[in-house]
């Protein structure tokens, strides 16, 4: 009886060896799969970190651009206000200078440099025309890109001149 069991024992031993080899190969494959999974996770974490870094840089650039645009909008709003002020003062100067020049023309070529009234008319016309000329030549923006503070000073002086001329 032991003879028929010998081939079965060899067969069983062979099957066990084959099973052990397959089990070993399966464990090895699982180890390789685990290593591949960990490597993929590490690459994914690295890619997510790079993406987050790029997002942060882009957000900073976007914030800087938005701030720059907001500053430009604020500057343009202030410039618009200044242009409206300038337009009003120039219009008043033009009207007053026109009247002063008409008063000079009304002399009909009989200007007397010794007459204080004639000199006053001439001085008034000259001041108004000069103020208007200086305002028109002054740039709205300074070299740095901001509003020209000298223009504001000239506007104030011109307003003062207009107030003196009405009184």
């Amino acid at each position: 009886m032991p003879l028929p069991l010998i081939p079965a024992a060899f067969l069983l031993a062979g099957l066990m060896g084959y099973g052990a080899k397959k089990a070993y190969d399966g464990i090895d494959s699982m180890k390789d799969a685990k290593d591949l999974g960990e490597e993929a996770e590490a690459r994914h974490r690295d890619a997510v970190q790079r993406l987050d870094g790029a997002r942060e840089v882009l957000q900073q650039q976007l914030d800087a651009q938005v701030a720059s645009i907001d500053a430009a909008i604020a500057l343009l709003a202030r410039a618009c206000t200044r242009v409206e002020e300038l337009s009003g003062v120039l219009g008043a100067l033009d009207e007053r200078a026109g009247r002063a020049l008409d008063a000079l023309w009304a002399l009909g070529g009989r200007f007397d440099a010794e007459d204080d009234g004639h000199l006053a008319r001439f001085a008034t016309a000259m001041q108004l025309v000069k103020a208007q000329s200086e305002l028109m030549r002054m740039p709205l923006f300074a070299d740095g890109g901001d509003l020209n503070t000298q223009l504001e000073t000239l506007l104030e002086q011109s307003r003062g001149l207009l107030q003196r001329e009405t009184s």
Side-chain angles (χ1 to χ4, degrees):
M1 183 83 167
L3 272 179
L5 289 178
I6 290 180
F10 278 129
L11 181 63
L12 185 60
L15 285 175
M16 284 180 65
Y18 180 76
K21 169 70 171 126
K22 286 298 181 181
Y24 176 78
D25 288 346
I27 290 172
D28 196 37
S29 293
M30 286 179 59
K31 192 180 196 186
D32 289 344
K34 182 180 176 188
D35 290 344
L36 280 173
E38 288 173 355
E39 182 183 327
E41 284 179 10
R43 286 196 337 249
H44 179 262
R45 278 192 303 273
D46 183 49
V48 167
Q49 286 176 346
R50 286 194 324 256
L51 179 62
D52 288 344
R55 280 183 182 154
E56 186 176 322
V57 168
L58 286 174
Q59 187 63 47
Q60 289 172 355
Q61 291 173 346
L62 179 63
D63 291 345
Q65 289 295 322
V66 167
S68 176
I69 289 169
D70 287 345
I73 289 170
L75 176 63
L76 289 175
R78 291 186 359 243
C80 184
T81 301
R82 180 69 52 82
V83 167
E84 289 171 1
E85 293 172 6
L86 185 59
S87 177
V89 170
L90 282 173
L93 283 172
D94 187 50
E95 181 184 327
R96 299 267 175 81
R99 286 195 310 238
L101 288 172
D102 288 344
L104 279 175
W105 283 111
L107 295 175
R110 298 178 317 243
F111 181 79
D112 183 5
E114 301 297 322
D115 186 340
D116 287 341
H118 290 193
L119 286 176
R121 286 181 190 184
F122 179 77
T124 298
M126 193 65 176
Q127 283 179 331
L128 291 167
V129 169
K130 178 125 175 85
Q132 191 176 19
S133 171
E134 287 177 3
L135 276 176
M136 288 190 298
R137 284 186 293 131
M138 186 63 60
L140 182 62
F141 295 101
D143 289 338
D146 203 9
L147 291 178
N148 192 345
T149 56
Q150 292 176 338
L151 181 60
E152 186 174 341
T153 302
L154 279 177
L155 276 169
E156 288 303 316
Q157 290 173 354
S158 298
R159 285 186 190 109
L161 177 63
L162 287 169
Q163 288 175 354
R164 281 194 313 261
E165 291 302 316
T166 38
S167 28

